[in-house]
Amino acid sequence: MEKKKGTVKKILSILLTILIILYTLLAVVIAVFAFASMKDDNATIFGYYIMYVPTESMVGDNDDSINKGDLILCNKLDSTSDLKVGDVIAFVDYNKDSETFGKTIIHRIVEVTESGYRTKGDNNPYVDGTEVLPAFVKARYMGKRVPVLGSVINFLKSQTGILICMIIPMSLFFIYALYRFIKALLEYKMSKAPAGELSEEQKQKAIEEYLAKQASEAANKEAPAEENSKDNSESDN
């Protein structure tokens, strides 16, 4: 029974360690994204934009169409000279009358003009009203996306996501780690305690053993005395 309990405790300890590692990795990923996107809406890592797609404007049948909630990888552009019709680009909406003013839009180029680009979402019926100037183009979509992950990371970056998925679990793990540390410290002190310092249970057991030993010795002494008395009585007769 004790062996079985020990095995269960060992398995639980391993599982808990794995969970701690996973949460630590998650915390690192979120920290990287948060740090990389401090000065921008999108994270920039090693010259690439990692973008979250919040709308269905690029849903379509093209190989490089994008679904809502996807996480996509875009190549940061130093020059827009090689952009062409059919490319999917990420650009900043500079139209002050637009609801998306100042935000990053990801749409497809449908026309290259003398001054810039006309764009359209694959799922939108009309071409965008504002022409995109080269200065506002940020990146070109590379056709690589991870479904749904964008929504997950976007939630984790929110205050609610950080509280639910980061702060509360990490606090519980900290409390558990503190408990394990205190337990190990007490066990270490017990192992280093002098041999003469016994617990109450050990003291009681020692007293009982001593009394039993004394009773046994007294019984052994009385036995020869009784035999001698019996022998003397027989010789007198």
Side-chain angles (χ1 to χ4, degrees):
M1 187 67 179
E2 292 295 330
K3 185 177 181 181
K4 186 177 181 180
K5 288 183 178 180
T7 303
V8 172
K9 287 183 178 180
K10 187 175 182 180
I11 293 174
L12 290 176
S13 179
I14 293 173
L15 290 176
L16 187 59
T17 301
I18 293 173
L19 285 175
I20 291 174
I21 293 174
L22 290 177
Y23 269 109
T24 302
L25 291 176
L26 179 62
V28 171
V29 170
I30 294 175
V32 170
F33 273 92
F35 179 78
S37 58
M38 284 179 64
K39 297 182 179 180
D40 202 339
D41 292 336
N42 307 108
T44 308
I45 300 177
F46 302 119
Y48 296 96
Y49 276 107
I50 300 176
M51 299 183 174
Y52 159 64
V53 181
T55 70
E56 297 180 347
S57 66
M58 281 300 294
V59 174
D61 298 326
N62 296 309
D63 292 338
D64 56 355
S65 292
I66 309 167
N67 296 322
K68 179 181 178 179
D70 288 352
L71 192 73
I72 65 172
L73 184 65
C74 298
N75 186 15
K76 188 176 181 180
L77 297 177
D78 295 325
S79 172
T80 61
S81 59
D82 62 340
L83 290 177
K84 60 186 182 300
V85 172
D87 286 344
V88 177
I89 60 173
F91 59 91
V92 178
D93 186 357
Y94 60 91
N95 183 0
K96 294 183 178 180
D97 296 327
S98 173
E99 294 180 354
T100 56
F101 172 69
K103 295 183 178 180
T104 300
I105 308 297
I106 302 167
H107 280 174
R108 190 182 303 277
I109 296 176
V110 294
E111 180 185 354
V112 178
T113 66
E114 292 183 359
S115 56
Y117 312 94
R118 306 293 297 184
T119 58
K120 174 182 174 298
D122 290 355
N123 197 35
N124 294 346
Y126 305 108
V127 175
D128 297 336
T130 304
E131 183 179 16
V132 181
L133 301 178
F136 292 91
V137 178
K138 297 173 64 175
R140 173 166 47 198
Y141 174 48
M142 301 173 63
K144 298 179 180 179
R145 65 187 180 91
V146 182
V148 185
L149 185 59
S151 294
V152 174
I153 292 181
N154 192 58
F155 171 73
L156 293 177
K157 288 171 61 178
S158 67
Q159 291 183 351
T160 303
I162 292 175
L163 177 65
I164 295 175
C165 300
M166 295 278 302
I167 295 178
I168 293 177
M170 292 305 289
S171 298
L172 293 175
F173 287 140
F174 173 77
I175 293 172
Y176 177 75
L178 183 61
Y179 160 75
R180 291 288 300 270
F181 172 76
I182 293 174
K183 182 180 179 182
L185 184 62
L186 291 175
E187 290 177 351
Y188 174 78
K189 287 185 175 181
M190 288 292 293
S191 66
K192 294 297 182 180
E197 295 183 6
L198 302 176
S199 65
E200 291 299 324
E201 183 179 352
Q202 290 173 325
K203 290 179 180 179
Q204 184 64 32
K205 187 177 180 180
I207 292 171
E208 291 175 356
E209 290 178 353
Y210 174 77
L211 293 176
K213 184 178 179 181
Q214 292 296 319
S216 177
E217 290 179 354
N220 291 335
K221 288 180 180 179
E222 290 177 0
E226 290 179 356
E227 289 180 0
N228 291 334
S229 176
K230 184 179 181 181
D231 291 342
N232 293 332
S233 177
E234 289 177 355
S235 61
D236 292 339
N237 292 332

